[in-house]
Amino acid sequence: MSTAFDNADLPAYTMGRAADLIGVTPAFLRSLGSAGLIEPERSHGGHRRYSRHQLRLAARVRQLLDEGMLLTAACRIVMLEDRLAAAHRRIVELGGTLTDDDNADLPTATHPDIATTRYYPSPRPDRSPSAP
């Protein structure tokens, strides 16, 4: 039996409670609204209400900011990750299957030619590329 509390999109958390749950300030949550990542629902009194899904997005942005990303870049990354996860859910709903190559949580392997550092050839054969 599914209840309203099982719905990750239910706007159940006030701004203060939401901020406490993920360890941020209310101003941080407002900044995510200004950045266009999260648009909270409003109560009848006009107070912001956040869903668990929105709080997961906000927590991920906070993690990326702590790793040194700019807010706009972090929001864009989280938005794309969220869209990819939604697309994967839709594929499965339609009866498709995902392979390990489709797992967005695993980094994509870099092509060996790109990962190999190449130096300019030394003008003299008796010198190595790293020699002064």
Side-chain angles (χ1 to χ4, degrees), residues 33-122:
S34 298
L37 178 68
I38 294 175
E39 187 172 334
E41 298 286 327
R42 298 284 182 152
S43 68
H44 293 295
H47 299 284
R48 291 175 176 89
R49 297 283 184 168
Y50 295 89
S51 68
R52 286 194 327 263
H53 178 250
Q54 290 171 326
L55 295 183
R56 278 195 298 273
L57 297 178
R60 177 71 174 129
V61 169
R62 180 76 258 167
Q63 178 187 16
L64 292 172
L65 291 175
D66 290 345
E67 292 173 6
M69 294 263 177
L70 297 175
L71 179 62
T72 53
C75 287
R76 183 69 176 149
I77 289 168
V78 169
M79 189 180 306
L80 292 171
E81 287 175 344
D82 190 48
R83 287 182 182 177
L84 180 61
H88 282 181
R89 284 190 304 274
R90 185 68 178 142
I91 289 169
V92 171
E93 285 173 11
L94 294 172
T97 57
L98 299 173
T99 66
D100 287 340
D101 291 337
D102 298 322
N103 186 350
D105 295 329
L106 298 176
T108 303
T110 304
H111 191 275
D113 291 342
I114 296 171
T116 304
T117 305
R118 294 190 180 147
Y119 297 99
Y120 292 104
S122 177

